[in-house]
Amino acid sequence: MAEEVKKLDKILLIIFSLGWTFLWISLFFKHTRTLWWIGDFLLFFLLVCVLFKNKTFFISFNKFFLLLIFLFLLCLFPFAINSYYLSASTEAFLLNYFFHICIAFLLIYFAYYYEEFISSPTFWGPILITNLAINLYYFLFVLIKCNFQPLCFITNGYLLVDPSLLKGFVVTSSAYLFCFIYFLFLYLRSSSKRLLFLFMSLFNLFFIFWLGRRAVLLALILSFFILFLLSNKQRLKIIGLIFLFLIVSGLFFLFTTPWGKQILIRSDNLKLLLTFKYENFAKAGSFGMR
């Protein structure tokens, strides 16, 4: 029986490795949407498989939390299908929301039932190597474009994504958010590699600021605030409060600089948003349309 379980676990590892590889390639390089679909579907299939192995997994969750997730997807779905661009909006709903939430639950499952495996270099090593390689590539790309000028390097991170090999803000930032949460999650576990994991999580948090991903930063603020309020563990409350302070302080610092305002406000017309008239929102830039 033990050998059969080990064989099954190896199959699950192969599926995860393939899904993760396809997904990572698709997130950072152009013309790879097919790999994106394949990667997401493999990881979704893996979640279904592990849930069949442990049908009581969702019982351990806070019911209010699960209800919020369900209502969130339920409220988004009508807008996905009621669109002039049905295929594009439905695809965005699946790739950017539904499958991402499934991947989050898959990692939580691994954390609960495969603690030794998820904390081993076999699991996090490829993620670390790929993440560092992408970071190094984009750092060098921006430095070369800026003729190695430090001020240009700091202020042009989000402007130079499109001409690089990276696909763009929205897709790329989700990968950095994933790595931030992943390495922060590993940092919270007892490990001799805590400093490495902490460094990588903060490094990816810096990239999220550098790329100017406003929706991601808002999500992190809400997430850490909820963690601070609802967590029963004092340690998690403290960590939630620390990162909440870091992110809010970082945003405050950005707002005090011209390039920070350019990153966070861009072409948005805040005056139209402050009228609180729905007909003005679509004219207020991308933030208003959202």
Side-chain angles (χ1 to χ4, degrees):
M1 184 66 180
E3 291 182 0
E4 291 180 2
V5 172
K6 287 183 178 180
K7 287 181 180 179
L8 181 60
D9 289 346
K10 286 182 180 179
I11 294 173
L12 296 181
L13 174 59
I14 292 172
I15 296 174
F16 176 83
S17 299
L18 286 174
W20 170 254
T21 302
F22 289 141
L23 184 62
W24 192 269
I25 293 172
S26 70
L27 286 173
F28 283 106
F29 298 102
K30 298 175 181 178
H31 313 302
T32 53
R33 187 170 293 272
T34 301
L35 294 181
W36 191 0
W37 273 103
I38 295 173
D40 272 338
F41 181 78
L42 284 174
L43 295 176
F44 173 71
F45 174 73
L46 181 56
L47 177 64
V48 173
C49 290
V50 297
L51 290 180
F52 268 109
K53 287 184 63 179
N54 191 332
K55 298 181 177 63
T56 61
F57 172 60
F58 280 107
I59 297 177
S60 60
F61 280 92
N62 182 294
K63 301 301 182 293
F64 180 67
F65 167 73
L66 291 177
L67 179 62
L68 283 178
I69 295 292
F70 175 75
L71 289 176
F72 174 70
L73 291 174
L74 187 65
C75 290
L76 278 179
F77 185 67
F79 293 96
I81 60 175
N82 183 23
S83 167
Y84 291 109
Y85 307 99
L86 180 61
S87 60
S89 59
T90 304
E91 182 181 65
F93 171 78
L94 291 172
L95 293 179
N96 294 327
Y97 295 96
F98 178 76
F99 283 134
H100 279 184
I101 289 173
C102 290
I103 292 171
F105 279 115
L106 178 63
L107 289 176
I108 293 171
Y109 181 88
F110 277 141
Y112 267 91
Y113 299 102
Y114 291 87
E115 181 177 343
E116 293 182 4
F117 170 61
I118 198 173
S119 298
S120 70
T122 306
F123 191 88
W124 57 260
I127 300 175
L128 175 67
I129 293 170
T130 314
N131 190 212
L132 284 173
I134 292 294
N135 290 345
L136 181 61
Y137 153 71
Y138 193 59
F139 267 149
L140 289 175
F141 177 82
V142 177
L143 275 173
I144 292 170
K145 285 286 184 179
C146 288
N147 294 319
F148 296 92
Q149 298 177 9
L151 183 61
C152 173
F153 171 77
I154 293 173
T155 57
N156 284 274
Y158 82 101
L159 289 174
L160 295 174
V161 174
D162 287 336
S164 77
L165 289 177
L166 301 183
K167 290 187 66 175
F169 299 143
V170 177
V171 176
T172 303
S173 61
S174 66
Y176 282 117
L177 176 63
F178 175 85
C179 288
F180 166 67
I181 297 296
Y182 186 80
F183 287 112
L184 176 64
F185 161 75
L186 283 179
Y187 160 67
L188 295 177
R189 313 196 75 79
S190 58
S191 169
S192 58
K193 305 175 185 66
R194 281 186 175 186
L195 288 178
L196 172 63
F197 298 143
L198 177 61
F199 170 77
M200 286 306 302
S201 60
L202 292 175
F203 195 53
N204 284 285
L205 181 61
F206 164 76
F207 256 90
I208 293 171
F209 274 100
W210 195 40
L211 294 175
R213 296 312 306 148
R214 300 170 297 178
V216 175
L217 292 169
L218 176 60
L220 286 175
I221 290 173
L222 291 173
S223 299
F224 283 119
F225 181 68
I226 292 172
L227 178 67
F228 171 71
L229 287 181
L230 300 184
S231 178
N232 294 324
K233 296 183 178 180
Q234 190 67 23
R235 184 184 179 189
L236 289 180
K237 282 182 175 290
I238 293 173
I239 289 172
L241 188 61
I242 289 173
F243 276 93
L244 185 62
F245 174 78
L246 286 174
I247 295 169
V248 172
S249 299
L251 287 174
F252 178 79
F253 171 75
L254 284 177
F255 267 119
T256 61
T257 63
W259 58 270
K261 291 178 181 177
Q262 184 182 13
I263 290 174
L264 296 173
I265 298 177
R266 298 177 192 172
S267 59
D268 295 323
N269 191 328
L270 296 182
K271 291 181 180 179
L272 289 178
L273 289 177
L274 293 175
T275 63
F276 297 104
K277 293 181 179 179
Y278 180 76
E279 59 271 17
N280 290 336
F281 288 176
K283 305 174 185 177
S286 63
F287 187 58
M289 293 176 69
R290 289 185 182 126

